[in-house]
Amino acid sequence: LVYLLNKSFDLDYINSISIEVFSIMNDFDKLTASIFNNSIVNDDLYTMIGVGALGSQVINLFARTGFGRWNLIDYDILFPHNLARHYLSREHVGSYKAISLAKEMNDLLNSEFAKPVNYNFLTSQKIEQISNILKGSKYIIDISTSVGVARSLARDFDEEIKAPRISAFLNPS
């Protein structure tokens, strides 16, 4: 602009300046994820128990639609054989699934979308913390592929936890 002012508004020079159109690009976050998926932004708190092969893929889909905020309860470590079906990749081998998956989903959406809860649901000494997490959830999804977890959710938390829960299993047959 200073250069143009010093040129005394030479019209030929001004006309020679090219104009370029820039494409505005929004960051990918919960809002844009919901817009791209034609869904309403949801900030309710949910809990997923088990982030193995099925759970990791399901939470990935929820993240890519910007749906909810999530507690991810799992105490399992990612091993090389898990790579055949798990969302996580080779760089996460040897790490806790819940911690790595929460970090990946939070990085994807550039926000705190998922919180890892690195407890073993059935044998943890932190039953009070687990109970408080479940109490704060709108829904509880059990994808642990453990009959014991499904039974514990129905039996041990029936009185105090009002959130609806679902247990989902897939098997080869």
Side-chain angles (χ1 to χ4, degrees), residues 103-140:
K103 182 181 181 330
E104 288 294 314
M105 299 301 103
N106 292 341
D107 288 349
L108 173 70
L109 295 173
N110 199 24
S111 69
E112 188 159 336
F113 171 79
K115 178 184 167 198
V117 181
N118 204 37
Y119 300 154
N120 183 319
F121 189 83
L122 292 176
T123 63
S124 178
Q125 301 302 313
K126 308 210 181 243
I127 195 71
E128 187 174 322
Q129 289 93 328
I130 290 174
S131 182
N132 287 333
I133 289 166
L134 298 178
K135 282 180 192 174
S137 300
K138 185 169 183 177
Y139 287 92
I140 301 163

Side-chain angles (χ1 to χ4, degrees), residues 42-169:
N42 179 313
D43 278 326
D44 292 333
L45 182 61
Y46 301 88
T47 296
M48 181 177 294
I49 303 166
V51 290
L54 182 57
S56 69
Q57 300 297 340
V58 170
I59 198 63
N60 175 50
L61 293 174
F62 280 129
R64 291 178 187 280
T65 60
F67 184 86
R69 294 176 298 117
W70 291 84
N71 291 308
L72 305 179
I73 300 177
D74 200 314
Y75 191 69
D76 201 9
I77 293 173
L78 187 76
F79 290 105
H81 71 272
N82 298 129
L83 297 176
R85 292 185 180 86
H86 205 278
Y87 171 82
L88 293 172
S89 62
R90 177 177 303 280
E91 70 186 83
H92 302 286
V93 169
S95 64
Y96 289 104
K97 292 175 183 177
I99 293 171
S100 294
L101 196 56
K103 182 181 181 330
E104 288 294 314
M105 299 301 103
N106 292 341
D107 288 349
L108 173 70
L109 295 173
N110 199 24
S111 69
E112 188 159 336
F113 171 79
K115 178 184 167 198
V117 181
N118 204 37
Y119 300 154
N120 183 319
F121 189 83
L122 292 176
T123 63
S124 178
Q125 301 302 313
K126 308 210 181 243
I127 195 71
E128 187 174 322
Q129 289 93 328
I130 290 174
S131 182
N132 287 333
I133 289 166
L134 298 178
K135 282 180 192 174
S137 300
K138 185 169 183 177
Y139 287 92
I140 301 163
I141 301 175
D142 163 30
I143 309 183
S144 65
T145 66
S146 166
V147 173
V149 170
R151 288 182 178 162
S152 176
L153 275 173
R155 180 192 62 222
D156 302 336
F157 299 97
D158 196 36
E159 295 297 319
E160 59 195 63
I161 309 298
K162 303 302 178 201
R165 40 211 113 151
I166 184 171
S167 292
F169 296 82

Side-chain angles (χ1 to χ4, degrees), residues 7-27:
K7 291 286 283 178
S8 299
F9 294 105
D10 180 355
L11 192 55
D12 289 334
Y13 179 75
I14 291 172
N15 287 334
S16 72
I17 297 173
S18 64
I19 297 175
E20 295 185 33
V21 177
F22 288 94
S23 177
I24 297 174
M25 192 178 311
N26 293 323
D27 192 11

